[in-house]
Amino acid sequence: MTIKNGVLKTISGVIGLTVLSKIFGFLRELLLSYYFGASGLSDAYIISQTIPGTIFQFVGTGLITCFVPIYIKELYDSGQEEADDFSNSILSLILIFSTVVMLIVMAFPGVIVGLFASGFEGETLHWAVLFTRIGICNLYFSAFLYLYNSYLQAHKIFYPGVISGLINSIVIILGIIVGAKKHVIWLCVISTSCPIIQLVYISPFIKREKFKVKPNFQFKTSVFVNFLKLLIPVIIGVSVNEVNILVDRTLASRIAVGGISSLVYANSLINFIQQGISQPVASVFFPHLSEKVVLQRDADVRAVTQRSCMLLIELLAPITVLIILFSKEITIMLFGRGAFNGSAISLTSEAVKYYSIGIVFVGAREFISRYFYAYNNTKIPTINSAIGMIVNIFLNLVLSKIMGLSGLALATSISAAITVLMLILKSGEVNKENKKLVFNIKELLRNVASLTPIILVYLIFIEFTRFEGFTLMVVVAIIGMLLWLICNFIFNTLVKDFVERFVSEKKRSNLGN
């Protein structure tokens, strides 16, 4: 097996396991909605998981982004022992940080919960405080878990980290079932134990690499200082996204009981689409961008980015239309059972509808951000994210007063569209030719025109047939998507090109075998 084939096999395996993990993660959300609905109790649980999750989002992203390249450089320059000393210094810092956070949360749990969900009161606040005190106990184990995952990635060992995510979802699913059948406290206790179980799984892989944990408080070494310099902009970028989530959930807690749960359930569907389509496609094209940047072929970099963005738009646009047309039916199909009542369906379906407007823009942002990363430019995306956060908060405050929970979802979609536009306008600043990304207007209009059959089929069946609900959704989806594919082949757009390329690659592969 060649190196290239080995890498492709690893990427395929990681993507496959990631998709499987996301499916179980989505199943987790479905079960939570089934047993606990969109209620004050589910809101309390979600917030209790959000608090440690938000804290370690900074640590996890920073480690993956900054630790891996510095560790590898230290490994090659100074050897395994020095590299492991650096790893232990990072672990020591994270454990100190975890201790401080745990003491603060344990001492002032009500204040901390209030920062994340200021609308909580009464029984909801009581459960949120109790769940948070239990949930924060896993910070030490999470610290080891994040470092171990980053350490394994630095050694090009990817599967354990992905599988541990799958284990996390399975354990939480067990916690949801036990919590519903026995007592709700078990939901929180079992969820809190997830990092411990993940560590049990990952530890043997760490031992194989002969890494030994030991305290190291040498925080003034040059390699450690370089790590901190790289970490700061990453933390800023992550904090912007977390602030957006925090503002959304805080306002949702004030709008309606179960508002946070409805937003989370709606967003989980949108995230599943993004992580199932946008990220895998972006992962395929990103190496091409990086290679062409190294070869200083700026025109090709722009061409690949523009073409891949157009392909993504063409794939996501019909999905967006179908979700908008059938947001209620999709919500009922996925969540409408058990404790998930009519009010929860109404709140969640409206949030799904308005979140779906941003699917294309979030996907495009995924690609265009990678365009900047290929040029080793993280400054512009970070500033862009900060501006997007300000826009999102402003729109949240305005639209939530007019539209309620739906306004929060719409604000997120609008801010995503604005950030994509700003990235495109700034795209000329990273290449030597100072040329911006330019998208073919005719191609965009053809993409829009190809969506017409889906809408027409929907209107015809609504007007002239008795189909409704789930049956209508299935019929419109099948017929509409078939006509959409036909239109794309007639218009000779990117999907046809993509299919032809895929078929030709398969033929070459078969001939090679």
Side-chain angles (χ1 to χ4, degrees):
M1 181 185 292
T2 65
I3 294 175
K4 182 176 180 181
N5 288 337
V7 171
L8 288 174
K9 184 177 180 180
T10 301
I11 292 173
S12 300
V14 170
I15 289 175
L17 285 171
T18 301
V19 171
L20 182 62
S21 179
K22 296 304 176 184
I23 291 172
F24 272 88
F26 194 64
L27 177 61
R28 178 188 66 206
E29 303 295 340
L30 292 179
L31 285 174
L32 184 64
S33 69
Y34 175 80
Y35 285 112
F36 296 98
S39 62
L41 197 59
S42 62
D43 280 358
Y45 169 73
I46 289 170
I47 284 298
S48 73
Q49 298 299 300
T50 299
I51 292 172
T54 299
I55 293 167
F56 264 93
Q57 181 70 19
F58 300 115
V59 177
T61 304
L63 279 174
I64 293 171
T65 307
C66 306
F67 172 85
V68 174
I70 293 180
Y71 175 86
I72 292 173
K73 187 177 186 303
E74 189 71 1
L75 183 64
Y76 278 94
D77 292 348
S78 306
Q80 181 78 47
E81 185 176 350
E82 293 295 325
D84 285 355
D85 283 343
F86 164 68
S87 303
N88 277 309
S89 69
I90 299 301
L91 179 59
S92 299
L93 177 66
I94 299 171
L95 291 175
I96 292 171
F97 171 74
S98 300
T99 301
V100 173
V101 171
M102 283 181 66
L103 290 174
I104 293 173
V105 173
M106 287 294 188
F108 310 103
V111 175
I112 301 300
V113 169
L115 291 175
F116 284 78
S118 60
F120 281 4
E121 57 185 18
E123 189 176 356
T124 301
L125 179 60
H126 164 76
W127 284 113
V129 168
L130 178 60
F131 288 166
T132 298
R133 278 181 166 156
I134 297 171
I136 206 69
C137 294
N138 69 13
L139 281 191
Y140 284 136
F141 303 104
S142 296
F144 279 96
L145 186 63
Y146 276 109
L147 181 78
Y148 283 0
N149 279 329
S150 300
Y151 187 90
L152 290 173
Q153 286 189 25
H155 284 272
K156 299 180 181 178
I157 302 171
F158 302 99
Y159 290 114
V162 180
I163 293 173
S164 71
L166 180 60
I167 292 171
N168 178 71
S169 293
I170 293 172
V171 172
I172 293 178
I173 286 172
L174 176 64
I176 292 170
I177 296 172
V178 174
K181 301 292 184 181
K182 300 294 184 181
H183 192 282
V184 69
I185 197 69
W186 285 106
L187 167 60
C188 187
V189 171
I190 294 176
S191 297
T192 302
S193 70
C194 281
I196 302 174
I197 298 170
Q198 290 172 283
L199 272 179
V200 170
Y201 168 73
I202 282 184
S203 292
F205 296 95
I206 293 294
K207 288 182 180 178
R208 289 178 193 173
E209 299 304 313
K210 300 180 180 179
F211 175 68
K212 295 181 179 179
V213 175
K214 58 183 179 180
N216 185 354
F217 302 105
Q218 297 178 10
F219 298 148
K220 293 184 179 180
T221 61
S222 59
V223 64
F224 189 86
V225 171
N226 288 337
F227 172 81
L228 291 182
K229 288 180 180 178
L230 287 175
L231 188 64
I232 291 171
V234 173
I235 288 177
I236 293 173
V238 174
S239 64
V240 165
N241 293 328
E242 294 303 319
V243 167
N244 270 331
I245 294 172
L246 176 60
V247 171
D248 280 357
R249 293 184 180 180
T250 298
L251 291 175
S253 70
R254 295 179 177 181
I255 292 171
V257 174
I260 293 177
S261 300
S262 291
L263 274 187
V264 170
Y265 298 148
N267 204 33
S268 66
L269 171 62
I270 305 303
N271 285 338
F272 182 81
I273 294 169
Q274 293 295 347
Q275 292 162 358
I277 298 177
S278 302
Q279 290 181 6
V281 176
S283 297
V284 171
F285 282 100
F286 187 56
H288 295 283
L289 292 181
S290 301
E291 181 183 20
K292 293 180 189 302
V293 168
V294 171
L295 297 174
Q296 298 183 353
R297 293 163 59 179
D298 289 342
D300 289 344
V301 174
R302 290 194 303 276
V304 170
T305 304
Q306 290 159 187
R307 191 169 189 80
S308 57
C309 275
M310 292 298 293
L311 170 62
L312 186 69
I313 291 170
E314 193 153 2
L315 291 173
L316 293 178
I319 296 174
T320 299
V321 171
L322 288 172
I323 292 176
I324 291 173
L325 293 176
F326 298 104
S327 60
K328 185 175 181 180
E329 287 77 10
I330 292 171
T331 302
I332 293 172
M333 180 180 68
L334 295 176
F335 303 107
R337 56 191 64 85
F340 205 80
N341 57 28
S343 174
I345 289 172
S346 177
L347 284 173
T348 305
S349 64
E350 287 299 301
V352 166
K353 180 186 297 183
Y354 289 103
Y355 269 136
S356 65
I357 295 172
I359 288 176
V360 169
F361 301 111
V362 173
R365 187 173 62 193
E366 181 84 18
F367 270 105
I368 299 173
S369 293
R370 292 184 184 229
Y371 170 82
F372 286 92
Y373 298 153
Y375 283 101
N376 295 319
N377 186 309
T378 57
K379 181 181 177 181
I380 291 176
T382 299
I383 294 173
N384 182 271
S385 296
I387 296 172
M389 177 193 70
I390 295 171
V391 172
N392 187 52
I393 292 173
F394 172 75
L395 290 174
N396 273 338
L397 295 172
V398 173
L399 295 177
S400 63
K401 292 180 180 179
I402 302 171
M403 303 170 61
L405 205 65
S406 300
L408 301 180
L410 181 59
T412 300
S413 296
I414 294 173
S415 63
I418 292 173
T419 53
V420 167
L421 179 60
M422 290 191 299
L423 282 174
I424 293 172
L425 294 176
K426 286 285 186 178
S427 60
E429 297 183 13
V430 294
N431 57 67
K432 294 180 180 179
E433 300 174 358
N434 293 320
K435 290 186 177 180
K436 300 175 184 177
L437 295 171
V438 178
F439 295 94
N440 191 316
I441 300 298
K442 290 183 178 179
E443 199 73 62
L444 286 170
L445 291 175
R446 274 187 278 184
N447 285 339
V448 173
S450 67
L451 300 174
T452 305
I454 299 176
I455 299 172
L456 286 177
V457 169
Y458 173 78
L459 294 175
I460 290 171
F461 274 84
I462 282 285
E463 185 69 26
F464 299 106
T465 72
R466 295 182 179 180
F467 290 149
E468 60 182 17
F470 181 74
T471 305
L472 178 64
M473 180 181 72
V474 172
V475 171
V476 171
I478 293 173
I479 298 177
M481 290 298 289
L482 284 173
L483 292 175
W484 171 79
L485 283 170
I486 292 170
C487 284
N488 273 289
F489 276 91
I490 292 173
F491 290 145
N492 194 33
T493 50
L494 293 171
V495 168
K496 178 182 178 181
D497 181 58
F498 180 78
V499 171
E500 288 174 347
R501 285 172 179 269
F502 179 79
V503 171
S504 64
E505 287 293 331
K506 292 293 287 183
K507 286 181 178 178
R508 285 198 209 106
S509 177
N510 292 333
L511 287 173
N513 293 331

